[in-house]
């Protein structure tokens, strides 16, 4: 039995995983990263648009600060987020971006003087201040009050990932590539590492660690059409679920991005609309102002995706052999701007659609994009139920996004969570000894070996590719943008059948080393379990919140549903997950539930909301001299690590 | 474009070094073309419908991550964004990228090569203060044009096309190659990196470095991101010549 020991094991080599590893290494703990692919190829690289941090250097971001970023994030989440975590996040994001700047990200900078931009379909001149020249600039994104999304032309994720991986290489952090964690090792409620399959040799290796962090990204590939990379299959979430102890949070919270190209589902960044691009229907008519006169194309993602779907249902979509779509028009931005700031979009249009977006409209429709749900953690990033298991980034339900994530808050979360959770991982390594018996390791090893042997000897059975395609179709057709009880019930039943069938997979290619069919056979039953968590959670949640939109329950119902869905899978032979809930405590909220300001406000209010509003008024009255930092401390004290507690400097206002 | 379906003929290199007795060979597969079909879609179709053992690497399938470079009808390129409709006779021959360790079939170990390259050129900002930067304060300013110029050179996705298209690399196994030169040019341009020209010389001032380049410029011809390899190699060479 091959066993590798380390202090901190990180599963996933994207931005979040790399940053957690760096934090533990900086504190002197031995760290290993496991990755399916070379770290620089992780899906983090695909983030084109940028990272939200309230630096307020550009003139259109003037006056921005943590309070406004916090309010945007909480509203964006439809009050489903954990406000402690959102607070830690907005306070740390400016530090994260400045650290990345020192580590080599060539963030686009403010240029003093006049420049032409497109706002609401009109060309306008804005004038950047002299004193802001050379500081990190920002662009507009959906659902934000200020221009806050910092970027590197159109390659923010790419440059962030390269800087982060380079930092890890500089520090000598080993990244074991082409390795897949297929089970967690745990005993008596403590996680001790993972059983890992080498994707080339097929060998199983036990990686034994004090702290194990899952940073494997989202589960977009549960859907047949998604913007996600093909490795975003949620396997990290699944192995946590399969412990029967760790819980997944809000799995039904799945975001659809308004503008992926048709038919292949590749993303065109929100930067297209942020920079002034418009959505048009089959008549070339700009329809968004009719639905959302305030934010128009730059309403929150979930809102825009639903409005587009509504409009297509009215017969206003452009028919095509792949179904209806709408147009994204960026022609008004001009060649120079597109070739510099939206070049990736241009390349994608040229290669996959054979069109030049400087001259022609881009065919788009809403497509699965982001997983708000994931491994439920405390604000420290640790599972509340499985000690020593941490999670960060899209894989986690740290829960700063609630039921809808704002554009630009995802890569921001990866690096900020990486910083914060990384400190708590290091604390955990400091406070705990590695204490696990080899017989435990062996038991988990044997269990995984047996599963693989069973697959390799079975003569007849199900085809894993087929099962996966069926699952993806169910999710797409019945657990999509708009949901209803009837479709969801069917989805739950159909997935249950798939779950049973997935216990009888047989292979055509029966070798244990490098074998894509075996990889699929190991993953697909796990993916089906996750799909069941999503569908069942969606069926039970009889309200609409953020990206979870129930046609049969259109109102947000704070009275009955201001709670987080938790899902576990205690008995491996069961064919359904167990679902329970944790309440969000209104009386602890810094910002009690209100209206997001889209469409008609039909919220069913929570009885505590008014109580908490009054309480906050009292606290404010009782502390008339308190500045915003002192008020936040009174309303929402947060467990932020000491080294990230400082205030952030901005031009024109210093540390105020 | 005609909607009539045609049958594509894929000739694919097959060899699994881990399978006892396996020998390198070309195998032909037929696939019915679909509108907008890419080599990514076709290969997955072959794997799912015809031969589940076939190995290849895709991650983003959008031309962003650099995983899927292979030799398509004699030319190294990103397979994910290559449309099958580009090939008029419907015949497509796929070979793994040369110059890298073969994992199996069309899959090569570019990750191992690129990590070694990054270690060799020390692909990070050299500034002892970078770790102690006070991130509560305003970030250090940078000229907006310089930031844009650095990004232009940082757009490399480490796909390996330049390495496989390089004749010098074929003759000198330890030749740094265009991907390494581009990385060095990127850091040499960056005011945050405090390395001196002498220090850069230590890394690339020999025949396995920038003086070994025969200027055949396969890198420039085949870079999927159209990076300015020719200009940057010439720039580095002039810079290095001036030192000693």
């Amino acid at each position: 039995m091959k066993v590798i020991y380390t202090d901190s094991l990180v599963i996933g080599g994207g931005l979040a995983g790399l940053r957690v590893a760096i934090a533990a290494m900086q504190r002197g703990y031995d760290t290993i990263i496991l990755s399916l692919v070379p770290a620089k190829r992780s899906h983090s690289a695909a983030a084109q648009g940028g990272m939200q941090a309230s630096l307020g250097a550009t003139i259109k971001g003037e006056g921005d600060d943590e309070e406004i970023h916090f309010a945007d994030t909480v509203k964006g989440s439809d009050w489903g987020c954990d406000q402690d975590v959102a607070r830690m996040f907005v306070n740390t994001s400016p530090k994260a971006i400045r650290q990345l700047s020192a580590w080599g990200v060539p963030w686009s900078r403010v240029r003093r003087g006049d420049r032409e931009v497109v706002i609401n379909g009109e060309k306008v001149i804005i004038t950047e201040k002299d004193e802001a020249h050379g500081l990190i600039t920002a662009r507009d994104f959906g659902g934000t009050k200020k221009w806050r999304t910092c970027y590197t032309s159109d390659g923010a994720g790419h440059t962030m990932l390269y800087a982060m991986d380079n930092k890890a290489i500089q520090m000598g952090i080993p990244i074991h590539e082409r390795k897949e964690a297929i089970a967690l090792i745990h005993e008596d409620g403590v996680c001790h590492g993972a059983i890992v399959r080498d994707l080339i040799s097929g060998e199983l290796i036990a990686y034994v660690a004090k702290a194990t962090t899952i940073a494997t990204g989202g589960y977009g590939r549960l859907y047949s059409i998604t913007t996600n990379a093909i490795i975003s299959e949620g396997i990290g979430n699944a192995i946590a679920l399969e412990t029967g102890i760790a819980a997944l949070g809000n799995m039904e919270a799945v975001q659809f991005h308004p503008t992926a190209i048709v038919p292949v589902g590749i993303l065109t960044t929100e930067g297209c609309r942020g920079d002034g691009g418009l959505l048009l229907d089959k008549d070339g008519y700009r329809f968004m102002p009719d639905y959302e006169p305030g934010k128009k194309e730059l309403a929150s993602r979930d809102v825009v995706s639903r409005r587009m779907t509504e409009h297509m249902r009215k017969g206003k979509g452009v028919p095509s052999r792949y179904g209806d779509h709408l147009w994204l028009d960026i022609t008004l931005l001009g060649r120079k701007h597109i070739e510099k700031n939206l070049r990736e979009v241009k390349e994608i249009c040229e290669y996959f659609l054979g069109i030049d977006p400087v001259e022609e409209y881009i065919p788009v429709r809403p497509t699965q994009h982001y997983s708000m749900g994931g491994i439920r953690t405390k604000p420290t990033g640790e599972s509340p139920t499985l000690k020593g298991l941490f999670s960060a980034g899209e894989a986690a339900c740290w829960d700063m996004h609630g039921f809808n994530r704002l554009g630009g808050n995802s890569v921001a979360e990866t690096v900020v969570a990486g910083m914060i959770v990384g400190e708590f991982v290091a604390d955990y390594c400091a406070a705990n000894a590695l204490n696990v018996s080899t017989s435990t390791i062996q038991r988990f090893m044997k269990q995984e070996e047996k599963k693989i042997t069973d697959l390799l000897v079975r003569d007849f059975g199900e085809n894993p590719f087929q099962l996966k395609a069926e699952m993806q179709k169910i999710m797409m057709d019945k657990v999509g943008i708009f949901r209803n009880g009837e479709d969801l019930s069917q989805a739950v039943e159909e997935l249950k059948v798939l779950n049973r069938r997935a216990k009888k997979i047989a292979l055509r290619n029966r070798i244990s080393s490098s074998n894509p069919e075996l990889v699929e056979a190991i993953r697909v039953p796990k993916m089906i379990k996750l799909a069941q968590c999503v569908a069942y959670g969606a069926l039970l949640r009889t309200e609409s919140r953020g990206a979870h939109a129930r046609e049969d329950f259109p109102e947000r119902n704070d009275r009955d549903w201001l709670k987080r869905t938790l899902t576990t899978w205690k008995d491996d032979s069961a064919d359904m997950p167990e679902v329970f809930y944790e309440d969000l405590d209104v009386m602890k909220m810094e910002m009690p539930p209100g209206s997001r300001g889209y469409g008609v406000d039909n919220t069913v209010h929570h009885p505590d909301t008014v109580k908490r509003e009054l309480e906050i008024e009292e606290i404010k009255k009782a502390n008339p001299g308190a500045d915003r930092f002192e008020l936040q401390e009174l309303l929402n004290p947060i467990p932020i690590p000491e080294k990230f507690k400082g205030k952030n400097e901005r031009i024109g206002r210093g540390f105020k | 474009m005609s909607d009539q379906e045609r049958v594509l003929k894929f000739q694919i290199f097959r060899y699994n070094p881990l399978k006892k007795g396996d020998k390198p060979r070309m195998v032909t597969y037929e696939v019915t073309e679909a509108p907008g079909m890419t080599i990514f879609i076709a290969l997955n179709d072959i794997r799912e419908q015809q031969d589940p053992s076939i190995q290849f690497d895709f991650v983003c399938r959008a031309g962003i991550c650099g995983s899927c470079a292979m030799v398509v009808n004699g030319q190294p390129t990103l397979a994910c964004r290559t449309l099958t409709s580009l090939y008029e006779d419907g015949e497509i021959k796929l070979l793994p990228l040369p110059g890298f360790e073969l994992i199996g079939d069309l899959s090569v170990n570019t990750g191992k090569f690129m990590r070694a390259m990054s270690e060799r050129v020390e692909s990070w900002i050299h500034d002892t203060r970078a770790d102690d930067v006070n991130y509560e304060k305003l970030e250090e300013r940078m000229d907006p044009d310089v930031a844009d110029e650095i990004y232009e050179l940082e757009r490399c996705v480490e796909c390996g096309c330049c390495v496989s298209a390089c004749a010098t690399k074929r003759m000198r196994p330890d030749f740094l190659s265009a991907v390494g030169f581009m990385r060095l040019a990127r850091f040499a341009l960056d005011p945050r990196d405090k390395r001196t020209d002498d220090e850069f010389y230590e890394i690339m001032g020999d025949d396995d470095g920038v003086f070994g380049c025969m200027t055949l410029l396969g890198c420039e011809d085949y870079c999927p991101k159209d990076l300015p390899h020719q200009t940057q190699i010439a720039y580095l060479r002039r810079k290095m010549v001036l030192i000693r």
Side-chain angles (χ1 to χ4, degrees), chain A residues 542-562:
Chain A
T542 49
E543 66 152 356
S544 291
R545 184 179 298 274
H548 173 70
R550 285 284 297 255
E551 289 165 306
D552 42 356
F553 297 95
E555 70 290 334
R556 188 182 91 202
N557 183 344
D558 290 347
R559 186 190 61 209
D560 303 318
W561 284 105
L562 200 56

Side-chain angles (χ1 to χ4, degrees), chain A residues 114 137 176 182 199 242 283-284 294 296 459 462 518 525 570 600:
Chain A
D114 291 351
T137 190
H176 295 191
I182 56 173
L199 293 174
E242 287 181 334
D283 306 318
K296 308 178 181 73
D459 285 321
E462 297 283 347
L518 177 58
K570 289 206 170 72
V600 191

